[in-house]
Amino acid sequence: MKLQVASKILGANERIANENANIMKGKGIFSINLMSSPGAGKTTLLEKTIMSLSPKLKIAVIEGDVAGSDDAERIDKLNIPVIQINTGGGCHLDAGMVQDALKDLPLDGINLLFIENVGNLVCPAAFNLGEDIKVMLLSIAEGHDKPLKYPNMFQTSSALVINKIDLAPYVNADIEKIKKDALSLNPSIKIFEVSCQTGQGVDKWTDWLQTLSS
Ligand code: MG
Ligand code: ZN
């Protein structure tokens, strides 16, 4: 019974996700579903990315959070179209929430849309939002055991951004193990090592984004 309910929910989600994909394709928008645990640095990565790529690329952001509008306010300071979604307790975004946000966003002329998912290493991987790709962000402070503990997140992602590498001397994290395990789960995953605090490695990530959305 439970399984039947789950597959019904995912079936309805898939239909709306296809509509979202068509809306974005129609506007020539490349979209990225950015996933991570809380505090890995999703919004900070977006700030650095926007500062580097805007106005070369026209970027918009959908912010997903359980509550509050802190992240949308941060993005708004960069003069980028942004919509905040509050899930009201829900631990992931679904395609219907994103469709509502797409209706409110000025989509004309946008090249690149980031959908910052709710911080969670489980269900965001299961819900298609209609995005072109998923990207997984992992901070080294979370520990090197995460790929093997949360494999779906890494299997469904086209890229893994390893953040906070400036903390390497202070935390017990083996970056080589993170990379090896992520590649064992998903041999084609593209891996970036960055520090959003110092800016190290961010250029490689933004260079890659430019090749995707042009
Ligand atoms: Mg955030
Ligand atoms: Zn969830």
Side-chain angles (χ1 to χ4, degrees), residues 113-129:
L113 172 69
F114 286 101
I115 306 166
E116 182 182 326
N117 218 312
V118 178
N120 177 346
L121 289 183
V122 185
C123 21
F127 283 81
N128 181 2
L129 306 178

Side-chain angles (χ1 to χ4, degrees), residues 6 40 78 89 91 103 108-109 118 122 125 146 148 153 158-159 192 198-199 201:
L78 303 173
C91 49
K103 284 177 187 150
D108 286 337
V118 178
V122 185
K146 293 302 167 292
L148 297 184
M153 298 292 286
S158 301
F192 301 93
T198 68

